[in-house]
Amino acid sequence: MALLAGCSSTGGKRAEDEQRRSGGQSAVDTPRWTVAMVTHSGEGDTYWDIVRSGAQQAADKDNIEFLYSHDDEAGRQAELVRTAINQDVDGLIVTLAKPDAMESAVRAAVDAGIPVITVNSGQELSERFGALAHIGQDEELAGEAVGHELNDLDARSAVCVLHEQGNIGHEQRCDGVRATFEGTLESLYVDGTNMPGVESAIEAKLISGSDVDTVVTLGAPFATVAAKAASQAGSDARTVTFDLNPEVATALGEGTLEFAVDQQPYLQGYQSVDLLWLWLSNGNMLGGGQPVLTGPQIVTPDQAEELADYARRGTR
């Protein structure tokens, strides 16, 4: 997908509407720098609408032209980074879900004198690749938090549903759960681009593994699918998930989801753009070489009503 100024008709559209309501005025008088964000998002992934919404709102405030592109195939994502380099952007934000394919492109940006911030994935490789900072959730730490929560729920047998093979962050989440969970955890690989297939795979697993009492999904769009699969399988297995969207907020309120892990994607977008502006305008950088963490935050049903309000406006 080519680099685009502004954002999509969902999360980004909200940011653009808010800018128009405020008269499109930035809060600063610094130069009109250009910042590109290149992510590993697939088509229709609502999580990235929230990241983009935060990034666009920071860009509006900071008088920055914001360019966004994405591709879930790592080689094409790397090519989008090279496109941004050729456009001579002033700053670059990238995800490193599949770091081996991204390393040379990120290093090329650094060698070209473009400040780079990594976001969401690739925390452990960010500094090595030459990025100034990493903003996101420590995935293993988040997984460990889930493991502790499952212990508190007296869970004994869980399935971790990985919807994107090769995504290092997803593996780290499951590994983190496994590190602290006192029960057994099995990995179930599915094709996240085929939701009926995901539902069928989870349903089949719950039918064949009657002792499974918990399904852990790694992305918000898969949470309600897992809960539906459990119902169709006649299973009492509870569902917990990483990440949020309006459907997850509703499901928490209805009690069909036990809890969710929020890594605050709005912050990941907003802070990455704002931090590049601070670097370009004043030489500031957060973290001191350590990750700037946006999560994990465990969200439970008693927070569902407030969460739903935030989710509807595209910030959670």
Side-chain angles (χ1 to χ4, degrees), residues 154-168:
D154 294 323
R156 290 292 177 263
S157 178
V159 173
C160 194
V161 183
L162 296 100
H163 61 268
E164 184 182 341
Q165 293 194 39
N167 186 320
I168 188 172

Side-chain angles (χ1 to χ4, degrees), residues 21-90:
R21 284 195 295 270
S22 66
Q25 299 296 315
S26 68
V28 299
D29 59 1
T30 47
R32 179 72 170 172
W33 290 307
T34 299
V35 168
M37 175 182 280
V38 184
T39 77
H40 64 277
S41 170
E43 293 294 338
D45 190 336
T46 56
Y47 174 91
W48 292 99
D49 288 334
I50 305 172
V51 176
R52 291 170 66 176
S53 179
Q56 185 66 61
Q57 290 185 35
D60 294 343
K61 175 182 71 70
D62 293 338
N63 190 33
I64 282 175
E65 181 181 4
F66 178 62
L67 308 178
Y68 181 83
S69 64
H70 68 92
D71 202 298
D72 58 0
E73 197 284 313
R76 291 193 294 266
Q77 185 193 0
E79 285 305 309
L80 290 171
V81 171
R82 296 187 187 280
T83 297
I85 295 170
N86 292 335
Q87 290 182 326
D88 197 26
V89 297
D90 299 293

Side-chain angles (χ1 to χ4, degrees), residues 197-236:
V198 173
E199 184 178 319
S200 296
I202 297 173
E203 182 179 351
K205 181 61 184 176
L206 292 174
I207 291 173
S208 65
S210 58
D211 60 333
V212 174
D213 57 28
T214 308
V215 178
V216 181
T217 62
L218 304 184
F222 306 94
T224 52
V225 171
K228 181 180 177 183
S231 176
Q232 293 180 165
S235 170
D236 292 329

Side-chain angles (χ1 to χ4, degrees), residues 76-187:
R76 291 193 294 266
Q77 185 193 0
E79 285 305 309
L80 290 171
V81 171
R82 296 187 187 280
T83 297
I85 295 170
N86 292 335
Q87 290 182 326
D88 197 26
V89 297
D90 299 293
L92 181 65
I93 303 160
V94 299
T95 62
L96 300 177
K98 298 174 182 176
D100 289 346
M102 294 294 294
E103 180 174 4
S104 63
V106 173
R107 290 189 184 277
V110 174
D111 290 344
I114 299 171
V116 176
I117 287 178
T118 61
V119 64
N120 178 262
S121 54
Q123 168 187 311
E124 67 284 350
L125 294 171
S126 175
E127 185 176 13
R128 189 190 310 175
F129 287 5
L132 295 171
H134 177 81
I135 298 176
Q137 172 177 265
D138 185 308
E139 301 292 18
E140 288 197 25
L141 183 65
E144 290 172 8
V146 170
H148 288 304
E149 291 290 324
L150 295 184
N151 293 336
D152 289 344
L153 293 171
D154 294 323
R156 290 292 177 263
S157 178
V159 173
C160 194
V161 183
L162 296 100
H163 61 268
E164 184 182 341
Q165 293 194 39
N167 186 320
I168 188 172
H170 291 180
E171 296 286 352
Q172 289 170 335
R173 289 180 178 184
C174 293
D175 288 345
V177 178
R178 194 171 283 111
T180 57
F181 180 40
E182 295 171 0
T184 61
L185 181 73
E186 183 179 350
S187 294

Side-chain angles (χ1 to χ4, degrees), residues 252-265:
L252 284 169
E254 293 173 346
T256 54
L257 292 182
E258 198 74 29
F259 65 84
V261 184
D262 186 14
Q263 61 174 308
Q264 303 188 97

